[in-house]
Amino acid sequence: MKSCRSDEMVMYLEVAADERLPVGASMGYDIDDPHAVRLEFTYAGSVLACWYLDREMLAEGLLRPVGVGNVRLGPATDGTRPALRLRLRGHVPQGPGEAVLCADASDVALFLERSYALVALGSEAPPVEEFLERVFASE
């Protein structure tokens, strides 16, 4: 059984009200961390930034605005197509920073659908009973 998946996509960084730059991005999912989606931004083969997002929050962000603080997601349009708008705040050596990006909503929805094939939505609970059996078996 495959325990991980990763999808490459292009997101668009908002640099001005009417200007967006394409940014390489990768969304990753691992069944060992079933609530998290790893979002990496890359350029020329190097990882520029990595964020971990809640999978359920990512799905809700396609439908309505969600999030507080450093991560906020919500539906938008990217030209004529539905998009997911991500507002990410963090600290860089120069001080606090913020990035606003748009991803094609269908790319994000397809990634989520594929992640649900690995771990169904709502069944992310850790296998506590299996863990306890292993712990007590090793004593």
Side-chain angles (χ1 to χ4, degrees), residues 29-30 33-37 53-56 124-126:
Y29 183 76
D30 186 334
D33 192 2
H35 291 283
V37 170
L53 306 175
D54 179 79
R55 184 171 73 154
E56 187 175 344
E124 298 92 345

Side-chain angles (χ1 to χ4, degrees), residues 53-128:
L53 306 175
D54 179 79
R55 184 171 73 154
E56 187 175 344
M57 181 179 168
L58 187 61
E60 286 182 33
L62 290 168
L63 305 173
R64 64 180 182 84
V66 294
V68 293
N70 293 339
V71 178
R72 296 171 190 243
L73 311 172
T77 57
D78 188 11
T80 59
R81 298 180 306 184
L84 173 68
R85 189 166 190 256
L86 302 93
R87 180 177 297 253
L88 306 172
R89 294 182 183 160
H91 291 286
V92 294
Q94 299 80 13
E98 179 176 275
V100 178
L101 300 111
C102 279
D104 187 290
S106 63
D107 289 345
V108 176
L110 180 59
F111 168 81
L112 288 168
E113 182 180 312
R114 291 174 175 165
S115 78
Y116 298 149
L118 295 174
V119 176
L121 183 63
S123 66
E124 298 92 345
V128 175

Side-chain angles (χ1 to χ4, degrees), residues 2-3 8 12 15 35 40 44 48 60 79 102 105 112 118 125:
K2 189 174 184 180
S3 63
E8 305 291 323
Y12 293 89
V15 293
H35 291 283
E40 288 184 344
L48 301 175
E60 286 182 33
C102 279
L112 288 168
L118 295 174

Side-chain angles (χ1 to χ4, degrees), residues 9 23 41 52 60-61 74 103 115 124 130:
M9 62 184 68
V23 176
F41 299 101
Y52 285 88
E60 286 182 33
S115 78
E124 298 92 345
E130 292 175 23

Side-chain angles (χ1 to χ4, degrees), residues 9-24:
M9 62 184 68
V10 175
M11 292 189 178
Y12 293 89
L13 176 65
E14 293 182 5
V15 293
D18 59 348
E19 185 179 4
R20 294 180 176 176
L21 297 175
V23 176

